[in-house]
Amino acid sequence: MGKRATTSVRREELNRGAWTDHEDKILRDYITTHGEGKWSTLPNQAGLKRCGKSCRLRWKNYLRPGIKRGNISSDEEELIIRLHNLLGNRWSLIAGRLPGRTDNEIKNHWNSNLRKRLPKTQTKQPKRIKHSTNNENNVCVIRTKAIRCSKTLLFSDLSLQKKSSTSPLPLKEQEMDQGGSSLMGDLEFDFDRIHSEFHFPDLMDFDGLDCGNVTSLVSSNEILGELVPAQGNLDLNRPFTSCHHRGDDEDWLRDFTC
Amino acid sequence: MDESSIIPAEKVAGAEKKELQGLLKTAVQSVDWTYSVFWQFCPQQRVLVWGNGYYNGAIKTRKTTQPAEVTAEEAALERSQQLRELYETLLAGESTSEARACTALSPEDLTETEWFYLMCVSFSFPPPSGMPGKAYARRKHVWLSGANEVDSKTFSRAILAKSAKIQTVVCIPMLDGVVELGTTKKVREDVEFVELTKSFFYDHCKTNPKPALSEHSTYEVHEEAEDEEEVEEEMTMSEEMRLGSPDDEDVSNQNLHSDLHIESTHTLDTHMDMMNLMEEGGNYSQTVTTLLMSHPTSLLSDSVSTSSYIQSSFATWRVENGKEHQQVKTAPSSQWVLKQMIFRVPFLHDNTKDKRLPREDLSHVVAERRRREKLNEKFITLRSMVPFVTKMDKVSILGDTIAYVNHLRKRVHELENTHHEQQHKRTRTCKRKTSEEVEVSIIENDVLLEMRCEYRDGLLLDILQVLHELGIETTAVHTSVNDHDFEAEIRAKVRGKKASIAEVKRAIHQVIIHDTNL
Amino acid sequence: MDNSAPDSLSRSETAVTYDSPYPLYAMAFSSLRSSSGHRIAVGSFLEDYNNRIDILSFDSDSMTVKPLPNLSFEHPYPPTKLMFSPPSLRRPSSGDLLASSGDFLRLWEINEDSSTVEPISVLNNSKTSEFCAPLTSFDWNDVEPKRLGTCSIDTTCTIWDIEKSVVETQLIAHDKEVHDIAWGEARVFASVSADGSVRIFDLRDKEHSTIIYESPQPDTPLLRLAWNKQDLRYMATILMDSNKVVILDIRSPTMPVAELERHQASVNAIAWAPQSCKHICSGGDDTQALIWELPTVAGPNGIDPMSVYSAGSEINQLQWSSSQPDWIGIAFANKMQLLRV
């Protein structure tokens, strides 16, 4: 009972702030003499008011020989990005490939500087298991660039081609032809798009498609049906009073005004 | 003759890869270095990329059991492949616990030199960048001692070399790329070493006649030349040689040299552009040539000999067959099944998709089509809601909708004014006259007439009479009278000659005015 | 005069007919011979989810076609194309592989010894969806039989590795829907599209393709494509609402070498002869199947077919058997008919 009180008093006396130069010297000298290990008893034996974990981290990240001080260079950054691309957030494996750097340092540098710099897609996300085989294959869809070919140069033709094309003039004509053709193609496409947006037969296409929003179709038919005489006759059977009609009209218009 | 030499190269492409790895193994083992890599030049991207490799260095103690019969060489070859597979696995980002086979490597199992070898796969070098790029551009070997001590500008993999203690790297251009060897020992530059390494590849190439060999001979002639322009020419020539025969090569060589000395710079640039053009067309030409070379025309019989006359299902074609119907019938239902299969059946799938998934997941083309369909649906709905649509096109529907909305707003304004009862009675009488309205809508044969005016006896009959005279047959009438205000909605069919909307409006107004005058 | 009637009677009797309970479209000949004869797969054409694929057995000696009910199975949606595996595909088991395209690319194993049909793979090329983009057609590479190319309404062509059941590569091939695809060689294929073009792709240079033909009227869709496997210089394609079969030479892009115009209505299907480099068969809405022989030089009046067969209805599908090159299969209405050449 009394001992416990003593222990808690000691914990309150432990230093929690930044390490002083004096503390660093004590830790460095002790480890130089006795070697690493036994972190739980080291503070007492070395005369440090620190917990064992704090001593271990101080040594590992700051004091041990070979630690590289100073900013991470752009070459190191590039290598970190390459390694992260392969290993993800396995910082100790990445640090093992950069002499003098600690895993903590690299992790902080990544989270502070590099992650924002990269596009989001490059950051590794936790992987969702999906049924589709294509996701597992990581195949990108490739957009092909189509070239109109009007000539095929077979091997026997190559030397003839070279001999006949010493003048620069045909080359420029060919270039203009290609450019003009491409431009005309683009213009045609735009015109077709505009045309198809506003031409009435699109409405007829709708009738032929027989697919899409069924509810809307039914609604349209109901509305269109009012124009059909038979439907008109049905309207006569509905109860129709002028007062009711006017009431409806005014209510609706009041809502419209609001 | 030269064209036929391309065919073996294509057919043995797979076998060549193993041969190359064997050469890399022989080269690196003969000098007992740590690794060898072949950097392959990729013409399209114009970079040197990892083509093949052999790892000959230290490995950690193997944890998995291996058959006792496996020799040391087989184990090393297996290690090289495992390193490559590990790289692919890490690149794919698969979970270690999911995809790893029992014998596959994990990153924790690697030595430092294995890490260096594995990370090389991720590098690429556009000439003259990097050590391989420099060797390729100069067509001369590059030797680096103290690779682990230099900075990254001198050796882009310096940091990796430092942790792996790779001290010496040499890059030797040959074939269509660069062979690189590396070791943890510090070795001074040794020309005999370079020649010995080359000899493994030369001796092998001599037994297989290939264009690459002649390319190499050409490069030897220019080996001392370091002028950048000449280097560019060499690369262009090497591209050209793949398309042309050695005979063409000599001719083009002379042409190029004469161009250098006689022509102006402008002509030279034009010439290079022409080469690029030919190269672009040459891609397709190469494809066509590959097709025709790899698949010679069949020597089989050229004739489909129909069986004896009695047994064949086909009749001989006669000229009369074509004369029966000169006019080709392409009916609207032509190719019906084929069009259904191509145009319609795939969209049956879409309907299923549509029910299960948000629209955003559809492909862009299908999504665009569905958007247009929705637009068309809504235009049809809008057309049926607006009482007086004059035309069928979308612009007119929008215009009439705007007019109808304005009309409704005006009506709201009028109704608000009726609540102000301070109006003079005489003014109200005038308002009644001004409030008369006639709206006519004719859609094909259907007529919709909505009107409001001051009531009088016999008004409805007069209106129906006028419509009849215009050829409009009434089918339905809704009327109401409220405090001398007459309202009517008349639906009718057009019979015979079709009257215009303006005509109908004018006639109705005549009936109303006629009453007022009397 | 009196003799001609018996001739026509005997001619139609040389054809072998199979009457299906439903309309047919897709059809495929197997390259293997089973114990009971050569296999033919036919796919139903019902605009519904529930469709079927029937396996028929054809004995050319007895001139009989009979269905194998144990090998009939359900297929979602009408299959847009059917193909049996090429003979170059080596497989440990004795079963025959059948591929079908539609809402997915599906692989089936037909095992006649055990009278079973087993689905092997359901392949999806969509990265964002659990559903494949609808497939209009496909072609099985007979040089590299693990490679199979599909084309889709989402403007892409997808190259599959069917041994690993993964996408090998996917290309945005055209500006509009891709309607058909055909292999020329292990790494070269061509496709036709609603944008009216025939394009050639080389898997060694995936960034580029070459347009070798465009339909005369802008944006007239091209519907089908066939590459002459006996002479890779020649391809054939058909246009929408056209009675022409357009013959292309890959060495002369943009200019057809021939246009076959003897059908009296639109053409629906084309097939090159499997063992001759100069013969092609076409079937159309005029109910005729025509066999053409391509001459060295086209005459001034155009090319006449060699021979003709009149079916009872529009011919929608046509296949020329490579394992039995004396036989051509056609599909019209709910019939599949085998014609002796």
Side-chain angles (χ1 to χ4, degrees):
Chain A
M1 189 64 177
K3 283 187 179 179
R4 284 184 186 172
T6 307
T7 306
S8 70
V9 168
R10 276 193 180 174
R11 278 185 186 159
E12 288 167 8
E13 289 170 359
L14 289 183
N15 291 349
R16 296 183 180 279
W19 283 63
T20 63
D21 291 342
H22 182 54
E23 284 173 309
D24 282 344
K25 184 176 187 306
I26 293 174
L27 180 59
R28 191 186 287 114
D29 290 346
Y30 181 88
I31 292 179
T32 306
T33 307
H34 300 92
E36 298 182 37
K38 295 184 180 178
W39 295 102
S40 58
T41 58
L42 180 145
N44 282 342
Q45 299 182 18
L48 288 163
K49 293 182 175 178
R50 296 272 181 178
C51 68
K53 181 182 177 184
S54 187
C55 294
R56 179 170 66 80
L57 288 178
R58 184 66 180 171
W59 169 258
K60 177 167 173 286
N61 288 334
Y62 295 97
L63 297 182
R64 63 183 168 90
I67 291 288
K68 192 171 183 179
R69 315 305 291 265
N71 291 335
I72 288 179
S73 68
S74 60
D75 297 318
E76 284 174 309
E77 273 181 352
E78 191 206 327
L79 189 53
I80 289 169
I81 292 169
R82 278 181 194 273
L83 287 158
H84 187 275
N85 191 44
L86 286 184
L87 299 170
N89 289 356
R90 297 151 89 168
W91 305 113
S92 59
L93 275 179
I94 297 176
R97 314 278 82 73
L98 282 89
R101 297 295 180 187
T102 65
D103 52 355
N104 208 51
E105 187 179 12
I106 292 173
K107 181 175 86 171
N108 289 340
H109 189 78
W110 172 270
N111 287 327
S112 304
N113 300 291
L114 298 184
R115 175 187 266 171
K116 307 166 191 167
R117 196 186 299 173
L118 297 176
K120 244 187 177 182
T121 50
Q122 280 193 31
T123 312
K124 251 182 185 180
Q125 304 289 341
K127 194 167 185 297
R128 290 160 49 199
I129 306 300
K130 283 191 174 180
H131 172 67
S132 168
T133 54
N134 200 17
N135 285 271
E136 298 161 21
N137 203 31
N138 195 29
V139 169
C140 292
V141 183
I142 298 166
R143 178 180 291 276
T144 58
K145 180 185 173 187
I147 297 165
R148 281 178 185 76
C149 185
S150 57
K151 273 188 179 179
T152 305
L153 307 178
L154 296 182
F155 294 147
S156 55
D157 297 335
L158 269 179
S159 55
L160 293 177
Q161 284 287 331
K162 276 182 287 182
K163 287 166 185 171
S164 68
S165 63
T166 52
S167 156
L169 187 57
L171 172 66
K172 288 181 178 176
E173 286 177 353
Q174 287 182 38
E175 281 178 343
M176 286 194 64
D177 285 346
Q178 286 187 8
S181 168
S182 169
L183 185 62
M184 291 301 296
D186 290 345
L187 288 177
E188 278 180 12
F189 179 75
D190 289 342
F191 177 78
D192 284 345
R193 180 184 284 271
I194 294 168
H195 187 65
S196 66
E197 280 288 336
F198 292 98
H199 195 274
F200 174 71
D202 271 0
L203 294 173
M204 309 310 292
D205 289 347
F206 166 80
D207 295 325
L209 276 174
D210 191 23
C211 65
N213 192 335
V214 175
T215 306
S216 175
L217 259 177
V218 172
S219 169
S220 298
N221 283 339
E222 282 174 354
I223 297 171
L224 286 171
E226 290 180 334
L227 301 178
V228 180
Q231 299 287 335
N233 292 337
L234 288 179
D235 287 343
L236 289 174
N237 298 333
R238 293 180 193 155
F240 181 86
T241 58
S242 63
C243 293
H244 179 68
H245 175 74
R246 292 193 65 80
D248 271 352
D249 206 18
E250 288 172 359
D251 286 345
W252 180 73
L253 287 171
R254 284 198 201 98
D255 291 342
F256 184 88
T257 306
C258 296
Chain B
M1 180 61 189
D2 299 292
E3 292 174 353
S4 66
S5 72
I6 295 174
I7 298 182
E10 293 288 341
K11 289 181 178 176
V12 301
E16 262 188 356
K17 203 166 186 180
K18 289 193 173 180
E19 282 182 36
L20 177 58
Q21 195 168 39
L23 291 176
L24 293 168
K25 182 186 81 162
T26 307
V28 72
Q29 285 181 344
S30 69
V31 292
D32 194 25
W33 280 31
T34 303
Y35 72 90
S36 60
V37 165
F38 179 68
W39 299 101
Q40 169 79 54
F41 185 70
C42 189
Q44 282 134 23
Q45 285 82 37
R46 299 199 172 277
V47 293
L48 290 158
V49 297
W50 199 94
N52 211 322
Y54 187 83
Y55 179 75
N56 195 44
I59 57 179
K60 278 189 177 180
T61 305
R62 197 173 296 108
K63 294 174 181 174
T64 57
T65 54
Q66 289 282 343
E69 294 79 17
V70 176
T71 65
E73 277 192 7
E74 285 169 358
L77 182 64
E78 191 178 332
R79 194 71 173 183
S80 303
Q81 284 160 352
Q82 283 172 343
L83 287 167
R84 180 62 206 251
E85 284 164 12
L86 173 60
Y87 178 84
E88 303 289 347
T89 301
L90 293 172
L91 197 62
E94 286 174 3
S95 170
T96 307
S97 59
E98 286 173 16
R100 190 170 12 152
C102 59
T103 55
L105 294 176
S106 81
E108 289 80 8
D109 297 333
L110 304 187
T111 61
E112 296 297 341
T113 44
E114 281 174 320
W115 266 110
F116 183 89
Y117 176 85
L118 183 144
M119 288 304 296
C120 285
V121 186
S122 73
F123 281 81
S124 62
F125 304 97
S129 297
M131 246 183 96
K134 189 186 295 180
Y136 188 87
R138 293 180 179 178
R139 307 310 308 177
K140 182 171 166 49
H141 78 270
V142 178
W143 192 292
L144 177 62
S145 266
N148 56 334
E149 292 156 3
V150 300
D151 60 73
S152 292
K153 291 185 175 55
T154 306
F155 184 47
S156 56
R157 292 166 280 164
I159 302 176
L160 288 168
K162 188 168 187 176
S163 58
K165 298 184 174 58
I166 296 283
Q167 294 209 64
T168 308
V169 178
V170 60
C171 289
I172 306 167
M174 66 179 73
L175 302 180
D176 191 23
V178 171
V179 170
E180 174 181 312
L181 290 89
T183 177
T184 52
K185 299 172 286 187
K186 184 153 191 175
V187 184
R188 294 183 168 283
E189 182 165 349
D190 185 356
V191 177
E192 284 181 14
F193 178 101
V194 174
E195 297 302 325
L196 173 67
T197 304
K198 285 180 179 177
S199 66
F200 291 113
F201 295 83
Y202 295 169
D203 294 344
H204 175 75
C205 287
K206 279 170 187 172
T207 60
N208 282 8
K210 270 185 283 184
L213 186 58
S214 61
E215 286 171 8
H216 184 76
S217 305
T218 306
Y219 297 146
E220 289 277 33
V221 172
H222 295 276
E223 195 167 20
E224 287 77 18
E226 293 188 2
D227 193 324
E228 194 171 0
E229 289 182 5
E230 294 188 21
V231 168
E232 193 176 357
E233 286 167 38
E234 282 177 37
M235 294 172 64
T236 306
M237 284 162 55
S238 77
E239 304 270 348
E240 186 185 334
M241 277 188 289
R242 281 189 220 107
L243 295 176
S245 63
D247 294 337
D248 289 339
E249 172 202 344
D250 294 336
V251 173
S252 68
N253 245 331
Q254 294 167 15
N255 286 345
L256 282 175
H257 284 307
S258 65
D259 287 344
L260 273 176
H261 298 300
I262 296 171
E263 302 291 345
S264 68
T265 305
H266 172 71
T267 304
L268 182 62
D269 289 342
T270 306
H271 185 76
M272 301 302 284
D273 287 341
M274 177 62 78
M275 299 295 295
N276 289 335
L277 263 188
M278 291 172 64
E279 181 183 310
E280 196 175 64
N283 276 350
Y284 179 65
S285 301
Q286 206 169 15
T287 301
V288 171
T289 307
T290 302
L291 280 174
L292 300 185
M293 293 305 175
S294 69
H295 197 107
T297 303
S298 170
L299 296 177
L300 290 171
S301 164
D302 268 0
S303 65
V304 162
S305 60
T306 52
S307 311
S308 63
Y309 181 79
I310 295 174
Q311 290 174 11
S312 174
S313 308
F314 286 82
T316 305
W317 174 270
R318 296 195 211 87
V319 182
E320 300 88 61
N321 283 110
K323 285 182 177 176
E324 286 174 7
H325 305 285
Q326 283 293 333
Q327 191 65 30
V328 173
K329 299 175 286 184
T330 51
S333 63
S334 77
Q335 293 171 325
W336 187 81
V337 171
L338 181 55
K339 285 173 179 171
Q340 293 288 98
M341 192 55 77
I342 288 180
F343 299 143
R344 178 164 165 69
V345 163
F347 292 99
L348 294 180
H349 310 156
D350 260 359
N351 285 342
T352 305
K353 252 197 249 182
D354 202 35
K355 287 163 189 167
R356 304 181 200 176
L357 291 176
R359 284 182 196 281
E360 288 75 27
D361 285 350
L362 296 178
S363 73
H364 64 287
V365 172
V366 178
E368 173 58 29
R369 176 160 298 180
R370 300 206 59 76
R371 190 187 74 89
R372 189 170 298 166
E373 285 162 17
K374 278 197 288 179
L375 278 174
N376 289 339
E377 289 167 37
K378 296 200 184 311
F379 270 103
I380 287 183
T381 305
L382 189 59
R383 182 187 68 178
S384 60
M385 290 174 70
V386 174
F388 43 89
V389 175
T390 53
K391 289 179 188 171
M392 300 295 221
D393 58 289
K394 288 171 176 171
V395 173
S396 295
I397 292 175
L398 287 176
D400 290 339
T401 304
I402 292 167
Y404 186 49
V405 170
N406 286 334
H407 159 66
L408 292 175
R409 287 165 129 181
K410 192 187 300 180
R411 182 157 167 71
V412 169
H413 183 69
E414 289 165 3
L415 289 175
E416 281 174 337
N417 287 344
T418 59
H419 293 285
H420 299 79
E421 300 190 0
Q422 299 83 359
Q423 299 285 343
H424 190 269
K425 183 177 180 180
R426 186 173 177 184
T427 308
R428 293 180 71 190
T429 305
C430 291
K431 282 183 71 65
R432 285 208 196 94
K433 288 184 180 178
T434 57
S435 76
E436 71 184 30
E437 270 183 55
V438 179
E439 303 289 355
V440 181
S441 168
I442 302 180
I443 301 175
E444 300 182 15
N445 280 351
D446 294 314
V447 182
L448 174 66
L449 169 68
E450 292 175 323
M451 61 177 293
R452 183 174 68 251
C453 66
E454 189 177 1
Y455 174 77
R456 70 169 173 81
D457 287 338
L459 173 63
L460 180 58
L461 283 176
D462 290 348
I463 292 169
L464 297 184
Q465 179 67 30
V466 162
L467 292 177
H468 180 69
E469 286 163 5
L470 290 168
I472 298 175
E473 180 181 314
T474 302
T475 55
V477 180
H478 302 273
T479 62
S480 67
V481 183
N482 181 29
D483 192 18
H484 286 288
D485 274 339
F486 174 84
E487 288 189 8
E489 182 193 274
I490 298 172
R491 293 178 184 274
K493 278 279 190 192
V494 176
R495 300 281 187 236
K497 184 181 175 184
K498 184 174 177 180
S500 71
I501 291 172
E503 261 181 280
V504 177
K505 283 188 178 182
R506 199 180 311 117
I508 300 296
H509 278 291
Q510 287 295 114
V511 171
I512 298 171
I513 292 170
H514 174 264
D515 162 63
T516 306
N517 290 344
L518 289 180
Chain C
M1 187 100 179
D2 292 347
N3 289 335
S4 76
D7 276 343
S8 69
L9 279 178
S10 65
R11 183 162 295 117
S12 66
E13 279 174 5
T14 59
V16 188
T17 304
Y18 164 72
D19 275 285
S20 169
Y22 21 72
L24 299 175
Y25 177 73
M27 181 204 313
F29 284 98
S30 171
S31 52
L32 304 184
R33 183 192 171 90
S34 66
S35 52
S36 56
H38 286 260
R39 284 194 205 110
I40 301 167
V42 291
S44 66
F45 170 59
L46 302 165
E47 292 185 34
D48 195 1
Y49 182 86
N50 305 297
N51 276 262
R52 290 193 77 83
I53 292 179
D54 294 318
I55 308 295
L56 318 175
S57 180
F58 171 52
D59 187 353
S60 55
D61 300 327
S62 62
M63 301 273 288
T64 54
V65 164
K66 60 175 186 259
L68 304 170
N70 293 332
L71 300 181
S72 174
F73 57 99
E74 292 182 350
H75 188 279
Y77 301 109
T80 52
K81 178 138 188 186
L82 292 174
M83 269 186 96
F84 281 95
S85 50
S88 49
L89 183 73
R90 305 265 178 267
R91 297 188 76 248
S93 74
S94 64
D96 209 351
L97 271 195
L98 177 73
S100 68
S101 59
D103 54 347
F104 291 91
L105 174 68
R106 298 168 188 267
L107 289 180
W108 315 81
E109 179 164 9
I110 318 290
N111 200 317
E112 194 169 334
D113 303 334
S114 59
S115 289
T116 54
V117 177
E118 285 193 18
I120 302 292
S121 304
V122 178
L123 302 172
N124 175 14
N125 67 355
S126 177
K127 293 176 80 68
T128 59
S129 163
E130 59 186 286
F131 294 96
C132 186
L135 306 174
T136 49
S137 188
F138 70 91
D139 195 19
W140 207 322
N141 195 318
D142 53 8
V143 178
E144 179 65 78
K146 73 172 186 176
R147 198 173 268 156
L148 189 151
T150 60
C151 54
S152 173
I153 62 174
D154 69 353
T155 75
T156 69
C157 289
T158 307
I159 310 303
W160 304 84
D161 181 336
I162 58 169
E163 285 177 0
K164 299 176 185 168
S165 296
V166 295
V167 169
E168 184 184 315
T169 194
Q170 191 174 9
L171 309 175
I172 298 177
H174 282 267
D175 306 328
K176 292 186 175 180
E177 297 90 343
V178 191
H179 291 154
D180 207 358
I181 183 174
W183 288 101
E185 200 242 357
R187 281 167 294 200
V188 179
F189 68 90
S191 58
V192 289
S193 166
D195 64 16
S197 69
V198 179
R199 300 188 190 194
I200 290 188
F201 302 81
D202 191 329
L203 292 179
R204 290 162 298 189
D205 180 14
K206 296 169 184 169
E207 311 289 329
H208 297 95
S209 64
T210 305
I211 297 175
I212 66 162
Y213 177 76
E214 286 181 294
S215 50
Q217 302 301 321
D219 276 336
T220 297
L222 301 182
L223 300 185
R224 284 297 179 230
L225 177 69
W227 205 327
N228 187 341
K229 294 297 173 64
Q230 295 301 316
D231 189 341
L232 291 174
R233 294 173 292 181
Y234 298 111
M235 284 183 204
T237 185
I238 59 174
L239 298 84
M240 189 172 80
D241 293 331
S242 171
N243 71 323
K244 283 192 286 196
V245 177
V246 179
I247 309 294
L248 307 170
D249 186 327
I250 62 174
R251 300 165 300 172
S252 308
T254 72
M255 290 302 299
V257 299
E259 290 184 343
L260 314 177
E261 287 181 271
R262 289 295 182 266
H263 278 286
Q264 280 116 50
S266 300
V267 183
N268 290 319
I270 45 180
W272 291 94
Q275 288 185 0
S276 158
C277 61
K278 288 185 178 175
H279 292 86
I280 183 171
C281 186
S282 60
D285 280 345
D286 58 356
T287 76
Q288 289 183 324
L290 306 179
I291 297 183
W292 313 75
E293 175 171 4
L294 300 184
T296 310
V297 183
N301 297 323
I303 300 168
D304 278 337
M306 264 177 38
S307 43
V308 59
Y309 174 83
S310 283
S313 178
E314 293 90 348
I315 295 175
N316 302 312
Q317 179 63 257
L318 189 148
Q319 295 284 324
W320 202 322
S321 172
S322 52
S323 54
Q324 299 173 285
D326 284 351
W327 292 91
I328 289 173
I330 60 176
F332 55 100
N334 63 327
K335 296 181 198 302
M336 194 279 299
Q337 215 165 46
L338 294 172
L339 315 175
R340 186 195 283 276
V341 177

